[in-house]
Amino acid sequence: MADGRLRGGLRLALTTFTVAPLRAGRVDRTTAEVAMAAAPAVGALLGALLGAVVWISLWANMPALVAGGLAVALGALLTRGLHLDGLADTADGLGSYRAGPAALELMRRPDVGPFGVVALVVVLVLQAAAIAGAARPVLAGAVALAAGRLAATWACRRGVPAARPNGLGALVAGTVGVPVLAVATVAVGALAAFAVPGRWWQGLVAVTVALGVALSLVRHAVQRLGGVTGDVLGAAIELATTVTLVALTVG
């Protein structure tokens, strides 16, 4: 039973956070907890791959922004742009003067409004420039994407409600307990300590600040929407990823 829960959770993490060609397995709130616990590890692997793209591109004498743009584009491809879509929808919903069901209905629309467009442009440009400017792009990518998924893990801690009775938010909201949060946070922090040569503290500060910013967004979304949605989780992921990357390039 426990093995099935673990396998189902890992499968759910891979199919939710990447385009891994796996068949759908067990999907319920018990596997959702495992999936959200594994999310930072999935992010670290994906981020290391994107950082490797940057390293190879810079080694091939490509301009830094082109190298970063290639990595960001690959990241969007490997995640189906799911989190970017969530960022745009959340920006439109929270950027409006609406709250509750009215804001949620706005976020359901397939089009992207002005707030969403601006959010996407700013985030994509900052991510491309920052990962290309990192001293250790492979580690920076791993830490940033792990921190982004860690923000989602924190957003799914117990006590945080879902804004809708169905959807991804309803599946994962409130599933993660304190022990899982502690282990995931320590693991990402340990990785972050190696992200900047000679400055072990900078990676820790970057992750801490990123989590603070992303969870402030989640708190505001809960106040405005009544809980979290899949879009809010996507926005938290992209925001934490961006803040981490930028903070790793300071100095």
Side-chain angles (χ1 to χ4, degrees):
M1 186 69 175
D3 288 344
R5 176 174 174 263
L6 179 60
R7 286 195 301 270
L10 293 176
R11 184 187 298 270
L12 181 60
L14 288 170
T15 55
T16 299
F17 293 104
T18 74
V19 293
L22 300 174
R23 291 184 298 175
R26 175 181 168 186
V27 178
D28 55 29
R29 285 181 62 79
T30 59
T31 56
E33 179 183 8
V34 175
M36 297 313 299
V42 174
L45 292 174
L46 180 60
L49 174 61
L50 302 187
V53 169
V54 171
W55 186 85
I56 292 171
S57 299
L58 293 176
W59 176 81
N61 292 322
M62 287 186 183
L65 194 55
V66 173
L70 288 174
V72 169
L74 179 61
L77 178 65
L78 293 179
T79 59
R80 300 185 297 273
L82 182 65
H83 313 314
L84 292 171
D85 178 70
L87 171 68
D89 287 343
T90 301
D92 284 335
L94 298 182
S96 69
Y97 289 103
R98 304 177 186 182
L104 289 170
E105 183 59 32
L106 180 64
M107 292 166 64
R108 286 179 184 269
R109 295 180 181 177
D111 58 322
V112 179
F115 289 107
V117 171
V118 172
L120 286 174
V121 170
V122 171
V123 161
L124 291 173
V125 170
L126 286 177
Q127 287 183 5
I131 194 170
R136 294 174 174 171
V138 175
L139 269 173
V143 169
L145 269 70
R149 277 66 179 172
L150 180 63
T153 305
W154 271 88
C156 293
R157 67 191 183 277
R158 286 172 189 160
V160 178
R164 298 189 182 104
N166 47 41
L168 178 62
L171 176 66
V172 300
T175 60
V176 181
V178 173
V180 171
L181 285 175
V183 171
T185 303
V186 169
V188 174
L191 182 64
F194 298 95
V196 181
R199 296 184 180 184
W200 62 266
W201 51 266
Q202 186 167 347
L204 298 178
V205 170
V207 171
T208 301
V209 172
L211 283 177
V213 172
L215 294 181
S216 294
L217 170 69
V218 172
R219 188 180 306 111
H220 181 60
V222 170
Q223 293 172 347
R224 287 279 300 278
L225 307 175
V228 296
T229 67
D231 285 335
V232 172
L233 297 180
I237 287 171
E238 291 297 340
L239 188 58
T241 298
T242 305
V243 172
T244 302
L245 282 172
V246 171
L248 290 177
T249 64
V250 174

